[in-house]
Amino acid sequence: METPQRLELGCDALDELLGGGIEHGIITNVYGEAGSGKTNFCIQAVVSCIRSGGKAVFIDTEGGFSAERFLQMHDDEAALERLIMHEPTTFEEQKGVFDDLPQVVANELPDMIVVDSLVSLYRLNLNGETAQEINTELSTQFSTLSKLAREHDLPVIVTNQVYSQFDSDENVMVGRDIPAYWSKTLLELEKVRNGKRRATVQKHRSRPEGITTDFFITQDSLTSAEGTQDESVPGADRMKIF
Ligand code: GTP
Ligand code: MG
């Protein structure tokens, strides 16, 4: 068995947290509250992939991707052509995108896949009667991604929204057990103070659960918050690597 290849994000704190970057061959699930930095994380990963000559499939279900933001992080209009965008606006359209995905991957040979987010349209469509069918479809989509990740040794990033539980301060992923089951890495993002963001490994094949690091979202990248630690912030008692 070989050590998995990794896609470096180019943010030292996050790369170190993940043991060198985003693993190829598995699904990495980035989840967290609105504005915590999920889409920025995805764009930085895509920029990193494209900078090293790669191509990326980006499935944007929320209109969160912005070419302007991409160009702030990587000032090269031609690079946008190395992005294969899909923008489904209903869960039905999303299903179509996933049905076609194996063919798209076979034809285009991308170097990574991003789905931001897998669950927003799922959430809009979820209503009593069809919940079972929709859950089955969500599992099918995860299964498709997992298979493509393995067969083509691709890094796959999916984002997941969360909702907070009334009786605890824990955030729960939309879709609950389905994303947690299919994702070999679970990375939680949170907003802390003064614009700082915190990333926590909640599940990983080779990194300890609970390790965290802090970073900032800046004009042109995600940047380590090394040396700016504020020990009074919530969760500061967790294990730190920076
Ligand atoms: P949802 O999709 O709403 O769930 O949020 P998200 O987790 O995808 O968050 P996203 O990555 O879109 O982060 C949005 C935040 O990034 C904004 O609230 C800003 O604080 C920050 N941001 C975006 N662009 C810049 C920038 O150029 N400079 C700085 N400092 N912050 C930025
Ligand atoms: Mg987003």
Side-chain angles (χ1 to χ4, degrees):
M1 283 286 282
E2 288 174 25
T3 316
Q5 255 190 284
R6 284 177 158 86
L7 171 71
E8 282 183 22
L9 278 167
C11 169
D12 291 347
L14 290 167
D15 285 331
E16 172 80 9
L17 186 79
L18 295 168
I22 299 156
E23 275 187 55
H24 288 230
I26 58 152
I27 298 173
T28 294
N29 189 319
V30 179
Y31 70 97
E33 61 191 302
S36 57
K38 302 181 295 294
T39 300
N40 275 276
F41 184 101
C42 293
I43 297 177
Q44 175 129 345
V46 159
V47 162
S48 168
C49 167
I50 287 176
R51 270 206 181 111
S52 57
K55 263 204 288 198
V57 170
F58 198 118
I59 302 170
D60 176 14
T61 67
E62 309 184 319
F65 178 84
S66 132
E68 192 183 344
R69 185 69 184 128
F70 177 95
L71 292 171
Q72 285 171 354
M73 294 172 112
H74 182 54
D75 188 14
D76 175 7
E77 297 242 4
L80 284 166
E81 284 165 26
R82 306 188 68 80
L83 257 184
I84 302 150
M85 292 295 303
H86 293 278
E87 294 164 293
T89 57
T90 63
F91 196 64
E92 202 49 37
E93 279 179 25
Q94 182 172 325
K95 183 175 179 313
V97 169
F98 273 83
D99 289 345
D100 295 345
L101 197 55
Q103 200 54 51
V104 169
V105 171
N107 293 344
E108 303 279 351
L109 299 175
D111 299 279
M112 75 176 306
I113 302 173
V114 173
V115 189
D116 182 26
S117 91
L118 197 51
V119 293
S120 54
L121 301 173
Y122 157 91
R123 181 150 79 159
L124 291 178
N125 283 253
L126 198 56
N127 56 44
E129 274 167 45
T130 57
Q132 183 58 41
E133 279 162 39
I134 289 179
N135 278 337
T136 303
E137 177 55 29
L138 187 65
S139 295
T140 303
Q141 294 184 4
F142 266 110
S143 159
T144 301
L145 287 174
S146 175
K147 194 157 177 265
L148 290 171
R150 251 195 341 237
E151 286 180 358
H152 298 266
D153 197 31
L154 299 175
V156 173
I157 302 174
V158 308
T159 65
N160 223 121
Q161 290 133 336
V162 296
Y163 58 92
S164 43
Q165 284 187 308
F166 293 114
D167 55 352
S168 89
D169 58 5
E170 228 177 290
N171 283 327
V172 178
M173 281 185 286
V174 174
R176 299 196 73 129
D177 302 339
I178 302 172
Y181 173 79
W182 287 101
S183 311
K184 296 284 179 249
T185 295
L186 291 178
L187 185 70
E188 182 175 14
L189 302 186
E190 293 166 279
K191 290 198 245 187
V192 280
R193 273 223 288 256
N194 305 326
K196 204 186 267 185
R197 303 295 194 277
R198 176 158 300 155
T200 305
V201 170
Q202 297 293 9
K203 174 179 167 184
H204 199 286
R205 297 191 297 179
S206 59
R207 303 289 291 153
E209 204 177 285
I211 53 171
T212 77
T213 198
D214 291 349
F215 65 94
F216 289 106
I217 301 170
T218 66
Q219 167 74 13
D220 58 4
S221 64
L222 305 185
T223 309
S224 308
E226 192 177 358
T228 60
Q229 202 84 4
D230 175 353
E231 293 305 331
S232 64
V233 297
D237 53 339
R238 289 171 173 160
M239 198 196 311
K240 298 269 174 222
I241 64 157
F242 277 112

